[in-house]
Amino acid sequence: MTKPLSELISKRVDVALAHRFCLELADAETGQPLSAAQRRANLTVLFGEIAKGMGVERFAETPVERLDQFAVMSVVKNHDTAGLLRSLVNSFMIAYANPETSDEAFQALRELEALRASIAAARGLASPNPNLPSAMATPGS
């Protein structure tokens, strides 16, 4: 890991440590939330995995709460943190690039976006995803 990436991860972990979010990791033996030191160690590793999976630029732009909650859920579900992100992008690209499945792939993206929007609305945070309309636009429109 490069020094700039390590420093970026450390700064993002510091922000996460200043908050308690909905989902938390707990000690397997006691069931108690992790100590600050345990949480720091876990988030440092998990944020590094997320940065690998989504790229450093996108990692730097993603809200810390989203990073934290994604990391926690991936551990709770025992899923590969970086692998989830790589698989999402890779699978979509393969399916979308195939003329026989491009429409299905795009519909799956729209369904995922609708799920995201319903979560945002339920939390009173309804906000459109600016990337989807631009992805749907035809050249010259």
Side-chain angles (χ1 to χ4, degrees), residues 1-89:
M1 186 178 311
T2 65
K3 184 175 179 177
L5 176 56
S6 180
E7 289 172 355
L8 173 63
I9 289 169
S10 181
K11 287 178 186 177
R12 307 305 309 271
V13 167
D14 288 344
V15 173
L17 288 172
H19 299 87
R20 286 287 181 187
F21 301 115
C22 182
L23 299 173
E24 288 186 329
L25 293 177
D27 183 282
E29 293 178 15
T30 67
Q32 296 297 310
L34 297 181
S35 69
Q38 291 170 312
R39 194 167 170 227
R40 175 180 299 283
N42 278 279
L43 287 178
T44 299
V45 170
L46 293 166
F47 280 18
E49 289 298 302
I50 293 171
K52 281 190 240 176
M54 71 186 329
V56 175
E57 186 175 313
R58 186 72 181 133
F59 173 81
E61 296 170 351
T62 302
V64 169
E65 180 179 9
R66 192 171 308 150
L67 297 170
D68 180 283
Q69 297 296 270
F70 179 83
V72 170
M73 186 58 76
S74 71
V75 170
V76 168
K77 297 286 189 175
N78 196 29
H79 293 151
D80 176 1
T81 306
L84 286 167
L85 298 166
R86 285 192 299 265
S87 179
L88 178 67
V89 172

Coordinates of all heavy atoms in Angstrom, one line a residue, residues 1-89:
M1 N 0.9 -1.2 0.0 CA 0.0 0.0 0.0 C 0.9 1.2 0.0 O 1.9 1.3 0.8 CB -0.9 0.0 1.2 CG -1.9 1.1 1.2 SD -3.1 1.1 2.7 CE -3.7 -0.6 2.7
T2 N 0.6 2.2 -0.9 CA 1.4 3.4 -0.9 C 1.1 4.3 0.3 O 0.1 4.2 0.9 CB 1.1 4.2 -2.2 OG1 -0.3 4.7 -2.1 CG2 1.3 3.3 -3.5
K3 N 2.1 5.2 0.6 CA 2.0 6.1 1.7 C 0.7 7.0 1.5 O 0.0 7.1 2.5 CB 3.2 6.9 1.9 CG 3.2 7.7 3.1 CD 4.5 8.4 3.4 CE 4.3 9.3 4.7 NZ 5.4 10.0 5.1
P4 N 0.5 7.6 0.3 CA -0.7 8.5 0.2 C -2.0 7.7 0.4 O -2.9 8.2 1.1 CB -0.6 9.0 -1.2 CG 0.9 8.9 -1.6 CD 1.4 7.7 -0.8
L5 N -2.1 6.4 0.0 CA -3.3 5.7 0.2 C -3.4 5.3 1.6 O -4.5 5.4 2.2 CB -3.3 4.4 -0.7 CG -4.4 3.4 -0.5 CD1 -5.8 4.1 -0.7 CD2 -4.3 2.2 -1.4
S6 N -2.3 4.9 2.3 CA -2.4 4.6 3.7 C -2.8 5.8 4.5 O -3.6 5.7 5.4 CB -1.0 4.2 4.2 OG -1.0 3.9 5.5
E7 N -2.4 7.0 4.2 CA -2.8 8.2 4.9 C -4.2 8.6 4.6 O -5.0 9.0 5.5 CB -1.9 9.4 4.4 CG -0.5 9.3 4.9 CD 0.5 10.3 4.4 OE1 0.1 11.1 3.5 OE2 1.6 10.4 4.8
L8 N -4.7 8.4 3.4 CA -6.1 8.6 3.0 C -7.0 7.6 3.9 O -8.0 8.1 4.4 CB -6.4 8.4 1.5 CG -7.8 8.4 1.1 CD1 -8.4 9.8 1.4 CD2 -7.9 8.1 -0.4
I9 N -6.6 6.4 3.9 CA -7.4 5.4 4.7 C -7.4 5.8 6.1 O -8.5 5.8 6.8 CB -6.9 4.0 4.4 CG1 -7.2 3.5 3.0 CG2 -7.4 3.0 5.5 CD1 -6.5 2.3 2.6
S10 N -6.3 6.2 6.7 CA -6.2 6.6 8.1 C -7.1 7.7 8.4 O -7.8 7.7 9.4 CB -4.8 6.9 8.4 OG -4.7 7.3 9.8
K11 N -7.1 8.7 7.5 CA -8.0 9.9 7.7 C -9.5 9.5 7.6 O -10.3 10.0 8.4 CB -7.7 11.0 6.6 CG -6.4 11.7 6.8 CD -6.2 12.7 5.7 CE -4.8 13.3 5.9 NZ -4.5 14.2 4.8
R12 N -9.8 8.6 6.7 CA -11.2 8.2 6.6 C -11.6 7.3 7.8 O -12.8 7.4 8.3 CB -11.5 7.4 5.3 CG -11.0 8.0 4.0 CD -11.6 9.4 3.6 NE -13.0 9.6 3.6 CZ -13.9 9.4 2.7 NH1 -13.5 8.9 1.5 NH2 -15.2 9.7 2.8
V13 N -10.7 6.5 8.3 CA -11.0 5.7 9.5 C -11.2 6.7 10.7 O -12.1 6.4 11.5 CB -9.8 4.7 9.8 CG1 -9.9 4.1 11.2 CG2 -9.9 3.6 8.7
D14 N -10.4 7.7 10.8 CA -10.5 8.7 11.9 C -11.9 9.3 11.9 O -12.5 9.4 13.0 CB -9.5 9.8 11.8 CG -8.1 9.3 12.2 OD1 -7.9 8.2 12.8 OD2 -7.1 10.0 11.8
V15 N -12.4 9.6 10.7 CA -13.8 10.2 10.6 C -14.8 9.2 11.1 O -15.7 9.5 11.8 CB -14.0 10.7 9.2 CG1 -15.5 11.1 9.0 CG2 -13.1 11.8 8.8
A16 N -14.6 7.9 10.6 CA -15.6 6.9 11.0 C -15.6 6.7 12.5 O -16.6 6.5 13.1 CB -15.3 5.6 10.3
L17 N -14.4 6.7 13.1 CA -14.3 6.4 14.6 C -15.0 7.5 15.4 O -15.4 7.3 16.5 CB -12.8 6.3 15.0 CG -12.1 5.0 14.5 CD1 -10.6 5.1 14.8 CD2 -12.7 3.8 15.2
A18 N -15.2 8.7 14.8 CA -15.8 9.8 15.5 C -17.3 9.6 15.6 O -18.0 10.3 16.2 CB -15.5 11.1 14.8
H19 N -17.8 8.5 14.9 CA -19.3 8.3 14.8 C -19.6 6.8 15.2 O -18.7 6.0 15.1 CB -19.8 8.6 13.4 CG -19.6 10.0 13.0 ND1 -18.4 10.4 12.4 CD2 -20.4 11.0 13.1 CE1 -18.5 11.7 12.1 NE2 -19.7 12.1 12.5
R20 N -20.8 6.6 15.6 CA -21.4 5.3 15.7 C -22.5 5.2 14.7 O -23.5 6.0 14.8 CB -21.9 5.0 17.1 CG -20.8 4.8 18.2 CD -20.1 3.4 18.0 NE -19.1 3.2 19.0 CZ -18.3 2.2 18.9 NH1 -18.4 1.3 18.0 NH2 -17.4 2.1 19.9
F21 N -22.4 4.2 13.8 CA -23.5 4.1 12.8 C -24.4 3.0 13.2 O -24.2 2.3 14.2 CB -22.8 3.9 11.4 CG -21.9 5.0 11.0 CD1 -20.5 4.7 10.9 CD2 -22.3 6.3 10.8 CE1 -19.6 5.7 10.5 CE2 -21.5 7.3 10.4 CZ -20.1 7.0 10.3
C22 N -25.4 2.8 12.4 CA -26.5 1.8 12.6 C -25.9 0.4 12.8 O -26.2 -0.3 13.8 CB -27.5 1.8 11.5 SG -28.8 0.6 11.7
L23 N -25.1 -0.1 11.9 CA -24.5 -1.4 12.0 C -23.1 -1.3 12.7 O -22.3 -0.4 12.3 CB -24.3 -2.0 10.6 CG -25.5 -2.2 9.8 CD1 -25.1 -2.7 8.4 CD2 -26.4 -3.2 10.4
E24 N -22.8 -2.2 13.6 CA -21.5 -2.2 14.3 C -21.0 -3.7 14.4 O -21.8 -4.6 14.5 CB -21.6 -1.7 15.7 CG -21.8 -0.2 15.8 CD -21.7 0.2 17.3 OE1 -22.1 -0.6 18.2 OE2 -21.3 1.3 17.5
L25 N -19.7 -3.8 14.3 CA -19.1 -5.1 14.6 C -19.0 -5.3 16.1 O -18.8 -4.4 16.8 CB -17.7 -5.2 13.9 CG -17.7 -5.2 12.4 CD1 -16.2 -5.2 11.9 CD2 -18.5 -6.4 11.8
A26 N -19.2 -6.6 16.5 CA -19.1 -6.9 17.9 C -18.1 -7.9 18.1 O -17.8 -8.7 17.2 CB -20.5 -7.3 18.4
D27 N -17.6 -8.0 19.3 CA -16.7 -9.0 19.8 C -17.4 -10.4 19.7 O -18.5 -10.5 20.3 CB -16.1 -8.7 21.2 CG -15.1 -9.7 21.6 OD1 -15.5 -10.8 22.0 OD2 -13.9 -9.4 21.6
A28 N -16.8 -11.3 19.1 CA -17.4 -12.6 18.9 C -17.7 -13.3 20.2 O -18.7 -14.1 20.4 CB -16.6 -13.5 18.0
E29 N -16.9 -13.1 21.2 CA -17.0 -13.8 22.5 C -18.0 -13.1 23.5 O -18.8 -13.7 24.1 CB -15.6 -13.9 23.2 CG -14.7 -14.9 22.5 CD -13.3 -15.0 23.1 OE1 -13.2 -14.5 24.3 OE2 -12.4 -15.5 22.4
T30 N -17.9 -11.7 23.5 CA -18.7 -11.0 24.5 C -20.0 -10.4 23.9 O -20.9 -10.1 24.6 CB -17.9 -9.8 25.1 OG1 -17.6 -8.9 24.1 CG2 -16.6 -10.3 25.7
G31 N -20.0 -10.3 22.6 CA -21.2 -9.6 21.9 C -21.2 -8.1 22.1 O -22.1 -7.5 21.6
Q32 N -20.2 -7.6 22.7 CA -20.1 -6.1 22.9 C -19.5 -5.5 21.7 O -18.6 -6.1 21.0 CB -19.2 -5.8 24.2 CG -19.8 -6.4 25.5 CD -21.1 -5.7 25.8 OE1 -21.2 -4.5 25.7 NE2 -22.1 -6.5 26.0
P33 N -19.8 -4.2 21.5 CA -19.2 -3.5 20.3 C -17.7 -3.5 20.5 O -17.2 -3.5 21.6 CB -19.8 -2.1 20.5 CG -21.1 -2.2 21.2 CD -20.8 -3.4 22.1
L34 N -17.0 -3.4 19.4 CA -15.5 -3.4 19.4 C -15.0 -2.2 20.1 O -15.7 -1.1 20.0 CB -15.0 -3.5 18.0 CG -15.3 -4.7 17.1 CD1 -14.7 -4.6 15.8 CD2 -14.8 -6.0 17.8
S35 N -13.9 -2.3 20.7 CA -13.2 -1.1 21.3 C -12.8 -0.2 20.2 O -12.7 -0.6 19.0 CB -12.0 -1.6 22.2 OG -11.0 -2.1 21.3
A36 N -12.4 1.0 20.5 CA -11.9 1.9 19.5 C -10.7 1.4 18.8 O -10.6 1.5 17.6 CB -11.6 3.3 20.1
A37 N -9.8 0.7 19.5 CA -8.6 0.2 18.9 C -9.0 -1.0 18.0 O -8.4 -1.1 16.9 CB -7.6 -0.3 20.0
Q38 N -9.9 -1.8 18.4 CA -10.3 -3.0 17.6 C -11.0 -2.4 16.3 O -10.8 -2.9 15.2 CB -11.2 -3.9 18.3 CG -10.6 -4.7 19.4 CD -11.6 -5.4 20.3 OE1 -12.6 -4.8 20.7 NE2 -11.4 -6.7 20.6
R39 N -11.9 -1.4 16.5 CA -12.6 -0.9 15.4 C -11.6 -0.2 14.4 O -11.8 -0.4 13.2 CB -13.6 0.2 15.9 CG -14.6 0.6 14.9 CD -15.8 1.3 15.6 NE -16.6 1.9 14.5 CZ -17.0 3.2 14.5 NH1 -16.8 4.0 15.5 NH2 -17.8 3.6 13.5
R40 N -10.6 0.5 14.9 CA -9.6 1.1 14.0 C -8.9 0.0 13.2 O -8.8 0.2 12.0 CB -8.6 1.9 14.8 CG -7.5 2.5 14.0 CD -6.5 3.3 14.8 NE -7.1 4.5 15.4 CZ -7.4 5.6 14.8 NH1 -7.2 5.7 13.5 NH2 -7.9 6.6 15.5
A41 N -8.5 -1.0 13.9 CA -7.7 -2.1 13.2 C -8.6 -2.7 12.1 O -8.2 -2.9 11.0 CB -7.3 -3.1 14.2
N42 N -9.9 -3.0 12.4 CA -10.8 -3.6 11.4 C -11.1 -2.7 10.3 O -11.0 -3.1 9.1 CB -12.1 -4.0 12.1 CG -12.0 -5.4 12.8 OD1 -12.0 -6.4 12.2 ND2 -11.7 -5.4 14.1
L43 N -11.4 -1.4 10.6 CA -11.8 -0.5 9.5 C -10.6 -0.2 8.6 O -10.7 0.0 7.4 CB -12.3 0.8 10.1 CG -13.7 0.7 10.7 CD1 -14.1 2.1 11.3 CD2 -14.7 0.2 9.7
T44 N -9.4 -0.2 9.2 CA -8.2 0.1 8.4 C -8.0 -1.0 7.3 O -7.8 -0.7 6.1 CB -6.9 0.2 9.3 OG1 -7.1 1.3 10.2 CG2 -5.7 0.4 8.4
V45 N -8.2 -2.2 7.7 CA -8.1 -3.3 6.8 C -9.3 -3.3 5.8 O -9.1 -3.4 4.5 CB -8.1 -4.7 7.5 CG1 -8.2 -5.9 6.5 CG2 -6.8 -4.8 8.3
L46 N -10.5 -3.1 6.3 CA -11.6 -3.1 5.4 C -11.7 -2.0 4.5 O -12.0 -2.1 3.3 CB -12.9 -3.2 6.3 CG -13.1 -4.5 7.0 CD1 -14.2 -4.3 8.1 CD2 -13.4 -5.6 6.1
F47 N -11.3 -0.8 4.9 CA -11.3 0.4 4.0 C -10.2 0.2 3.0 O -10.4 0.6 1.8 CB -11.0 1.7 4.8 CG -12.2 2.2 5.5 CD1 -13.4 1.5 5.7 CD2 -12.2 3.6 5.9 CE1 -14.5 2.0 6.3 CE2 -13.3 4.1 6.6 CZ -14.5 3.4 6.8
G48 N -9.1 -0.5 3.3 CA -8.1 -0.8 2.3 C -8.6 -1.7 1.2 O -8.4 -1.6 0.0
E49 N -9.4 -2.7 1.7 CA -10.1 -3.6 0.7 C -11.1 -2.9 -0.2 O -11.2 -3.1 -1.4 CB -10.8 -4.8 1.5 CG -9.8 -5.7 2.1 CD -9.0 -6.4 1.0 OE1 -9.5 -7.1 0.1 OE2 -7.7 -6.3 1.1
I50 N -11.8 -2.0 0.4 CA -12.8 -1.2 -0.4 C -12.1 -0.4 -1.4 O -12.5 -0.3 -2.6 CB -13.7 -0.3 0.5 CG1 -14.6 -1.2 1.4 CG2 -14.5 0.6 -0.3 CD1 -15.4 -0.5 2.4
A51 N -11.0 0.3 -1.0 CA -10.2 1.1 -1.9 C -9.7 0.3 -3.1 O -9.7 0.7 -4.2 CB -9.1 1.8 -1.2
K52 N -9.3 -0.9 -2.8 CA -8.8 -1.8 -3.9 C -9.9 -2.2 -4.8 O -9.8 -2.3 -6.0 CB -8.2 -3.1 -3.3 CG -6.8 -3.0 -2.7 CD -6.3 -4.4 -2.4 CE -6.0 -4.6 -1.0 NZ -5.6 -5.9 -0.6
G53 N -11.1 -2.4 -4.2 CA -12.2 -2.9 -5.0 C -12.9 -1.8 -5.9 O -13.4 -2.1 -6.9
M54 N -12.8 -0.5 -5.4 CA -13.5 0.5 -6.1 C -12.6 1.6 -6.7 O -13.0 2.4 -7.4 CB -14.6 1.2 -5.2 CG -14.0 2.1 -4.1 SD -15.2 2.8 -2.9 CE -16.7 3.0 -3.8
G55 N -11.3 1.5 -6.4 CA -10.4 2.5 -6.8 C -10.3 3.6 -5.8 O -11.2 4.0 -5.1
V56 N -9.1 4.2 -5.8 CA -8.8 5.2 -4.8 C -9.6 6.5 -5.0 O -10.1 7.1 -4.0 CB -7.2 5.6 -4.8 CG1 -6.9 6.7 -3.8 CG2 -6.4 4.3 -4.4
E57 N -9.7 6.9 -6.2 CA -10.5 8.2 -6.4 C -11.9 8.1 -5.9 O -12.4 8.9 -5.2 CB -10.5 8.5 -7.9 CG -11.1 9.9 -8.2 CD -10.9 10.3 -9.7 OE1 -9.8 10.2 -10.2 OE2 -11.9 10.7 -10.3
R58 N -12.6 7.0 -6.3 CA -14.0 6.8 -5.9 C -14.1 6.6 -4.4 O -15.0 7.1 -3.7 CB -14.6 5.6 -6.6 CG -16.0 5.4 -6.4 CD -16.9 6.5 -7.1 NE -18.3 6.3 -6.8 CZ -19.1 7.2 -6.4 NH1 -18.7 8.5 -6.3 NH2 -20.3 7.0 -6.2
F59 N -13.1 5.9 -3.8 CA -13.0 5.7 -2.4 C -13.0 7.0 -1.7 O -13.7 7.3 -0.7 CB -11.8 4.8 -2.0 CG -11.6 4.7 -0.5 CD1 -12.3 3.8 0.3 CD2 -10.6 5.5 0.1 CE1 -12.0 3.7 1.6 CE2 -10.3 5.4 1.4 CZ -11.1 4.5 2.2
A60 N -12.1 7.9 -2.2 CA -12.0 9.2 -1.5 C -13.3 10.1 -1.6 O -13.5 10.9 -0.8 CB -10.8 10.0 -2.2
E61 N -14.1 9.8 -2.6 CA -15.3 10.6 -2.8 C -16.5 10.0 -2.0 O -17.5 10.7 -1.9 CB -15.7 10.6 -4.3 CG -14.7 11.3 -5.2 CD -15.0 11.1 -6.7 OE1 -15.9 10.2 -7.0 OE2 -14.4 11.7 -7.5
T62 N -16.4 8.8 -1.6 CA -17.6 8.1 -1.0 C -17.7 8.5 0.5 O -16.7 8.5 1.2 CB -17.4 6.6 -1.1 OG1 -17.2 6.2 -2.5 CG2 -18.5 5.8 -0.5
P63 N -18.9 8.8 0.9 CA -19.1 9.2 2.3 C -18.6 8.1 3.3 O -18.8 6.9 3.0 CB -20.6 9.4 2.4 CG -21.1 9.7 1.0 CD -20.2 8.9 0.1
V64 N -18.0 8.5 4.4 CA -17.5 7.6 5.3 C -18.5 6.7 5.9 O -18.3 5.5 6.1 CB -16.7 8.3 6.4 CG1 -16.3 7.4 7.6 CG2 -15.5 9.0 5.9
E65 N -19.7 7.2 6.2 CA -20.8 6.3 6.7 C -21.1 5.1 5.7 O -21.2 4.0 6.1 CB -22.1 7.1 7.0 CG -23.1 6.2 7.5 CD -24.4 6.9 7.8 OE1 -24.6 8.0 7.5 OE2 -25.3 6.2 8.4
R66 N -21.1 5.4 4.4 CA -21.4 4.4 3.4 C -20.2 3.4 3.4 O -20.5 2.2 3.4 CB -21.5 5.0 2.1 CG -22.1 4.0 1.0 CD -22.5 4.7 -0.3 NE -23.3 5.8 0.0 CZ -23.4 6.9 -0.8 NH1 -22.6 7.0 -1.9 NH2 -24.2 7.9 -0.5
L67 N -19.0 3.8 3.5 CA -17.8 2.9 3.6 C -17.9 2.0 4.8 O -17.7 0.8 4.7 CB -16.5 3.7 3.6 CG -16.2 4.6 2.4 CD1 -15.0 5.5 2.7 CD2 -15.9 3.7 1.2
D68 N -18.2 2.6 6.0 CA -18.2 1.9 7.2 C -19.4 0.9 7.2 O -19.1 -0.3 7.5 CB -18.5 2.9 8.4 CG -18.6 2.2 9.7 OD1 -19.6 1.6 10.0 OD2 -17.6 2.4 10.5
Q69 N -20.5 1.2 6.8 CA -21.7 0.3 6.8 C -21.5 -0.8 5.8 O -21.9 -1.9 6.0 CB -23.0 1.1 6.6 CG -23.3 2.1 7.7 CD -23.5 1.4 9.0 OE1 -24.6 1.1 9.4 NE2 -22.4 1.2 9.8
F70 N -20.9 -0.5 4.6 CA -20.6 -1.5 3.6 C -19.6 -2.5 4.2 O -19.8 -3.7 4.1 CB -20.1 -0.9 2.3 CG -19.7 -1.9 1.3 CD1 -20.7 -2.4 0.4 CD2 -18.4 -2.3 1.1 CE1 -20.4 -3.4 -0.5 CE2 -18.1 -3.3 0.1 CZ -19.1 -3.8 -0.7
A71 N -18.6 -2.0 4.8 CA -17.5 -2.8 5.4 C -18.1 -3.8 6.5 O -17.9 -5.0 6.5 CB -16.4 -2.0 6.0
V72 N -18.9 -3.2 7.3 CA -19.5 -4.0 8.4 C -20.4 -5.1 7.8 O -20.3 -6.2 8.2 CB -20.3 -3.1 9.4 CG1 -21.1 -3.9 10.4 CG2 -19.3 -2.2 10.2
M73 N -21.3 -4.7 6.9 CA -22.2 -5.7 6.3 C -21.4 -6.8 5.6 O -21.8 -8.0 5.7 CB -23.2 -5.1 5.3 CG -24.2 -6.0 4.8 SD -25.2 -6.8 6.2 CE -26.3 -5.5 6.6
S74 N -20.3 -6.5 4.9 CA -19.6 -7.5 4.3 C -19.0 -8.5 5.3 O -18.9 -9.7 5.0 CB -18.5 -6.9 3.4 OG -17.4 -6.3 4.1
V75 N -18.6 -8.0 6.4 CA -18.1 -8.9 7.5 C -19.2 -9.7 8.1 O -19.1 -10.9 8.2 CB -17.3 -8.1 8.6 CG1 -17.0 -9.0 9.8 CG2 -16.1 -7.5 8.0
V76 N -20.3 -9.1 8.4 CA -21.5 -9.8 8.9 C -21.9 -10.9 8.0 O -22.2 -12.0 8.5 CB -22.6 -8.8 9.2 CG1 -23.9 -9.5 9.5 CG2 -22.3 -7.8 10.3
K77 N -21.9 -10.6 6.7 CA -22.4 -11.6 5.7 C -21.3 -12.6 5.3 O -21.5 -13.5 4.5 CB -22.9 -10.9 4.5 CG -24.2 -10.1 4.7 CD -25.4 -11.0 4.9 CE -26.6 -10.2 5.0 NZ -27.8 -11.0 5.0
N78 N -20.0 -12.3 5.8 CA -18.9 -13.1 5.5 C -18.6 -13.1 4.0 O -18.4 -14.2 3.3 CB -19.0 -14.6 6.0 CG -17.7 -15.3 6.0 OD1 -16.6 -14.7 6.1 ND2 -17.7 -16.6 5.9
H79 N -18.7 -11.9 3.4 CA -18.4 -11.8 1.9 C -17.1 -11.0 1.7 O -16.7 -10.3 2.6 CB -19.6 -10.9 1.3 CG -20.9 -11.7 1.2 ND1 -22.1 -11.0 1.3 CD2 -21.2 -13.0 1.2 CE1 -23.1 -11.9 1.2 NE2 -22.5 -13.1 1.2
D80 N -16.5 -11.3 0.6 CA -15.2 -10.6 0.3 C -15.5 -9.2 0.0 O -16.1 -8.8 -1.0 CB -14.6 -11.4 -1.0 CG -13.4 -10.7 -1.5 OD1 -12.9 -9.7 -0.9 OD2 -12.9 -11.2 -2.5
T81 N -15.0 -8.3 0.9 CA -15.3 -6.9 0.8 C -14.9 -6.3 -0.6 O -15.7 -5.7 -1.2 CB -14.6 -6.1 1.9 OG1 -14.9 -6.7 3.2 CG2 -14.9 -4.7 2.0
A82 N -13.6 -6.4 -1.0 CA -13.2 -5.9 -2.3 C -13.8 -6.7 -3.4 O -14.2 -6.1 -4.4 CB -11.7 -5.9 -2.4
G83 N -13.9 -8.0 -3.2 CA -14.5 -8.8 -4.3 C -15.9 -8.5 -4.7 O -16.3 -8.6 -5.9
L84 N -16.7 -8.0 -3.7 CA -18.1 -7.6 -4.0 C -18.1 -6.5 -5.1 O -18.8 -6.5 -6.0 CB -18.8 -7.2 -2.8 CG -19.2 -8.2 -1.8 CD1 -19.6 -7.5 -0.5 CD2 -20.4 -9.0 -2.3
L85 N -17.2 -5.5 -4.8 CA -17.2 -4.3 -5.7 C -16.6 -4.7 -7.1 O -17.2 -4.3 -8.1 CB -16.4 -3.2 -5.0 CG -17.0 -2.7 -3.7 CD1 -16.0 -1.9 -3.0 CD2 -18.2 -2.0 -4.0
R86 N -15.5 -5.5 -7.1 CA -15.0 -5.9 -8.4 C -15.9 -6.7 -9.2 O -16.1 -6.5 -10.4 CB -13.7 -6.6 -8.1 CG -12.5 -5.7 -7.8 CD -11.2 -6.5 -7.8 NE -11.1 -7.6 -6.9 CZ -10.6 -7.6 -5.7 NH1 -10.1 -6.5 -5.2 NH2 -10.6 -8.6 -4.9
S87 N -16.6 -7.6 -8.5 CA -17.6 -8.5 -9.2 C -18.8 -7.7 -9.7 O -19.2 -7.9 -10.8 CB -18.2 -9.5 -8.2 OG -19.1 -10.3 -8.8
L88 N -19.2 -6.7 -9.0 CA -20.3 -5.8 -9.4 C -20.0 -5.2 -10.7 O -20.7 -5.2 -11.7 CB -20.7 -4.8 -8.3 CG -21.8 -3.8 -8.7 CD1 -23.1 -4.5 -8.8 CD2 -21.8 -2.7 -7.6
V89 N -18.8 -4.5 -10.8 CA -18.4 -3.8 -12.0 C -18.1 -4.8 -13.1 O -18.6 -4.6 -14.2 CB -17.2 -2.9 -11.7 CG1 -16.6 -2.3 -12.9 CG2 -17.6 -1.8 -10.7

